[in-house]
Amino acid sequence: MYSERIRLASLRDRIVDAAAAAALIEDGMTVGISGFGCAGDAKAVPFALAERAQREPVRISLVTGASIGNGLDKLLAESGALARRMPFQADAALRKAINAGQVMFVDQHLSETVEQMRSHQLKRPDIAVIEAVAITEEGHIVPTASVGNSASLALFADQVIVEISLRYGTDLEGLHDIYIPADRPGRAPIPLVSPDQRIGATAIPVDPARIAAIVISDYRDSPSTVQPADAETQAIADHLIGFFASEVEAGRLPRNLGPLQVGVGSIANAVMAGLIDAPFENLCMYSEVLQDSTFELFDAGKLDFASGSAIVLSAARGAQVFGDFGRYKERLVLRPQEISNHPEVSRRLGIIGINTALEFDLYGNVNSTHVGGTRMMNGIGGSGDFARSAHTSIFVTKSIAKDGAISSVVPMVGHVDHTEHDVDILVTEQGLADLRGLAPRERARAIIDNCVHPEYRAALEDYFARACERGGQTPHLLGEALSWHLNLEERGHMLATR
Ligand code: COA
């Protein structure tokens, strides 16, 4: 049985049920599980672990690629199984536990987690649980819809549990490109000079002796919940496309724009979808998550190739893409996230990085993670990996949130993820601020003129004028700089006058 899925025959007697596999996980262990943005997460064993945690105390440190689906973070958090969590999450219940101080969340650049394990700065996993479409003749693991951190988690773990997913066809084999950087010092450059290049193996080369258990799983990935474009996200896309057109005309970008990296979420997806009707051809992506818009661009004949670490799709798109995978496979590659997000590679390729901010300030510092300066939203994800090393680093956001009670353009951000030095272009539905080559006072002028919502413009203008009277390279009124956030907390609106 399962001879096509477990091709190394000697491993077939390691098939157990999920509860038996989860029993290998002991209290206090570090557990790595596959999964990135709700794609390719191990499911059967984490479900069984959450169930067990309701009966007996098991608290683990959980390491993934990024967020996981199927409500698993919620179940694990609510069952008390999570002591620590890294490097990213996007679940409301886990967010609540993190912000209550019940789960210690380590918010990391996504390219760094396994690099830090490699150099023993982070504890390596006791057990890794990896979703796979198949195990090869050599005992190597073929992942499903994401690579994420799966390869290094499996290679570093003492024991590996493989979840064979019957939900994905074996035609996914050949999609992945598993390249593992050598130890430092003395590491050679990553030999990737073009987004469509393959530099590694198609499966994770684990020693089959370390595969402790195999579980057959019939769980599906959770579909993505991206919202269709609205008037504001369409306007953001239009501003960006205008900017790209002028860059091409000025000779600063090639006609196909160069490799595009686009962050997660509805705004980023809408921006990419906006390229369908734009006058650019032969696009390519060197990104982290490939969303619905990637496949809309393929279907429109606009996109030649997409390199990512995970494929995260809505239910309808997922059924279409994975039901007819041969149509796309040759134009796709999934890499470990330390390669998809590697600063060495993005600087070499010259990517255009488009990521989403929660808020940004007068001088272009960006907060992508902390609501009100203190409460974790999701995490920095890959945005920092790309922002510093991109050819052009772009952040987008709607100019207001929560029906206008919040301005996403503020005097000073309550938390900084991306400093002004890493931010070239800011875009809201109001317009685009090109900050390249500008000093702080000039940046403030461009941001006020182009990005802030009209309801907040006079207040920001007034703050800036009074700050300039006080002087400084980056003028601020320190007693007042976070007053908009305080107003929101105390009165429910950022403006004192409301
Ligand atoms: N203050 C408080 N809340 C804000 C806000 C602000 N300044 N700006 C937006 N929000 C709220 C929105 O109202 C919305 O709330 P809701 O979920 O209750 O409706 C929520 O934040 C999400 O905003 P939305 O406008 O729908 O954007 P999104 O889905 O594109 O997500 C981020 C935006 C910033 C949360 C998301 O992109 C993220 O987590 N980024 C960090 C990681 C990253 O960039 N990864 C990609 C790297 S490859």
Side-chain angles (χ1 to χ4, degrees):
M1 218 162 132
Y2 301 117
S3 54
E4 194 198 347
R5 297 282 187 163
I6 306 169
R7 305 206 293 267
L8 180 60
S10 61
L11 286 179
R12 286 184 208 135
D13 62 3
R14 292 186 207 169
I15 298 177
V16 296
D17 66 23
L24 295 171
I25 297 171
E26 291 169 20
D27 189 35
M29 276 186 166
T30 296
V31 179
I33 73 171
S34 63
F36 194 112
C38 299
D41 32 61
K43 305 167 188 76
V45 175
F47 272 129
L49 179 68
E51 212 175 286
R52 190 177 128 210
Q54 305 208 344
R55 298 191 305 273
E56 56 182 277
V58 208
R59 280 178 63 77
I60 60 164
S61 295
L62 179 62
V63 186
T64 56
S67 56
I68 49 176
N70 278 287
L72 280 168
D73 262 329
K74 171 181 158 71
L75 281 173
L76 290 166
E78 289 180 347
S79 65
L82 293 186
R84 303 175 74 76
R85 180 77 175 89
M86 66 176 75
F88 187 80
Q89 58 76 44
D91 178 86
L94 175 54
R95 189 178 293 148
K96 201 167 152 203
I98 290 167
N99 288 322
Q102 293 156 356
V103 175
M104 293 298 110
F105 177 52
V106 186
D107 176 20
Q108 286 195 307
H109 293 305
L110 295 188
S111 70
E112 289 196 335
T113 308
V114 294
E115 186 80 281
Q116 291 186 353
M117 283 183 180
R118 183 170 295 118
S119 52
H120 296 280
Q121 298 175 85
L122 271 184
K123 186 176 175 298
R124 294 181 173 196
D126 298 288
I127 293 192
V129 191
I130 309 294
E131 191 185 70
V133 290
I135 298 176
T136 67
E137 291 77 1
E138 299 81 23
H140 298 174
I141 300 169
V142 182
T144 56
S146 68
V147 178
N149 280 327
S150 300
S152 288
L153 291 176
L155 292 168
F156 294 152
D158 295 335
Q159 290 182 292
V160 180
I161 301 170
V162 180
E163 279 192 17
I164 296 286
S165 168
L166 303 180
R167 286 286 167 181
Y168 283 107
T170 48
D171 55 352
L172 260 63
E173 190 166 352
L175 165 67
H176 315 94
D177 187 53
I178 312 294
Y179 176 88
I180 307 290
D183 289 352
R184 296 175 295 202
R187 177 186 296 171
I190 298 169
L192 189 73
V193 294
S194 158
D196 58 359
Q197 201 180 336
R198 291 182 161 273
I199 57 173
T202 55
I204 303 168
V206 291
D207 172 1
R210 285 193 299 107
I211 298 183
I214 299 173
V215 174
I216 306 298
S217 162
D218 202 23
Y219 290 103
R220 288 173 198 279
D221 279 342
S222 296
S224 82
T225 51
V226 287
Q227 302 300 313
D230 58 23
E232 283 86 20
T233 55
Q234 189 55 54
I236 291 171
D238 292 346
H239 294 312
L240 260 180
I241 286 160
F243 166 74
F244 289 147
S246 62
E247 288 296 289
V248 171
E249 201 174 312
R252 286 189 290 266
L253 283 180
R255 293 211 73 78
N256 76 345
L257 306 181
L260 295 163
Q261 176 271 325
V262 188
V264 288
S266 306
I267 300 180
N269 192 57
V271 166
M272 276 308 274
L275 287 171
I276 290 172
D277 299 317
F280 312 112
E281 311 292 333
N282 305 114
L283 299 172
C284 73
M285 293 182 74
Y286 192 81
S287 202
E288 177 191 271
V289 170
L290 306 179
Q291 304 193 89
D292 283 20
S293 50
T294 299
F295 296 87
E296 287 163 29
L297 284 162
F298 274 138
D299 289 350
K302 291 282 188 173
L303 183 65
D304 285 352
F305 196 88
S307 166
S309 193
I311 299 176
V312 179
L313 302 176
S314 63
R317 238 323 153 174
Q320 182 260 323
V321 167
F322 291 111
D324 185 14
F325 199 60
R327 178 169 163 196
Y328 302 104
K329 189 172 168 183
E330 293 307 311
R331 292 178 286 167
L332 287 170
V333 62
L334 293 186
R335 307 179 192 278
Q337 68 197 61
E338 66 176 323
I339 303 298
S340 64
N341 290 28
H342 205 293
E344 172 192 332
V345 178
S346 32
R347 185 63 71 94
R348 180 183 301 133
L349 296 180
I351 62 152
I352 314 285
I354 308 170
N355 292 291
T356 310
L358 278 176
E359 61 177 8
F360 57 81
D361 71 20
L362 207 43
Y363 300 108
N365 297 288
V366 168
N367 172 9
S368 295
T369 56
H370 283 70
V371 173
T374 56
R375 291 183 306 283
M376 177 52 65
M377 182 75 172
N378 300 328
I380 192 166
S383 55
D385 289 327
F386 295 108
R388 179 152 302 169
S389 53
H391 170 285
T392 309
S393 173
I394 301 170
F395 280 88
V396 297
T397 184
K398 294 182 182 181
S399 69
I400 50 173
K402 305 297 174 203
D403 296 325
I406 296 175
S407 170
S408 299
V409 191
V410 290
M412 181 185 268
V413 284
H415 175 93
V416 191
D417 291 297
H418 311 289
T419 74
E420 57 178 303
H421 313 284
D422 295 336
V423 179
D424 297 320
I425 307 288
L426 287 168
V427 195
T428 69
E429 79 288 350
Q430 302 294 320
L432 180 145
D434 183 349
L435 307 177
R436 294 172 298 176
L438 300 187
R441 289 173 193 237
E442 297 168 313
R443 291 165 76 91
R445 189 71 268 143
I447 289 169
I448 294 171
D449 289 347
N450 293 291
C451 296
V452 68
H453 191 275
E455 196 184 343
Y456 286 91
R457 189 165 288 143
L460 199 59
E461 185 83 77
D462 173 60
Y463 175 88
F464 179 53
R466 287 183 295 115
C468 284
E469 278 170 28
R470 177 82 60 92
Q473 157 78 355
T474 305
H476 266 303
L477 305 168
L478 290 181
E480 200 182 316
L482 295 175
S483 61
W484 291 23
H485 298 82
L486 283 173
N487 289 339
L488 179 68
E489 231 173 72
E490 288 162 10
R491 304 155 187 254
H493 198 285
M494 277 193 165
L495 289 183
T497 49
R498 289 290 300 262

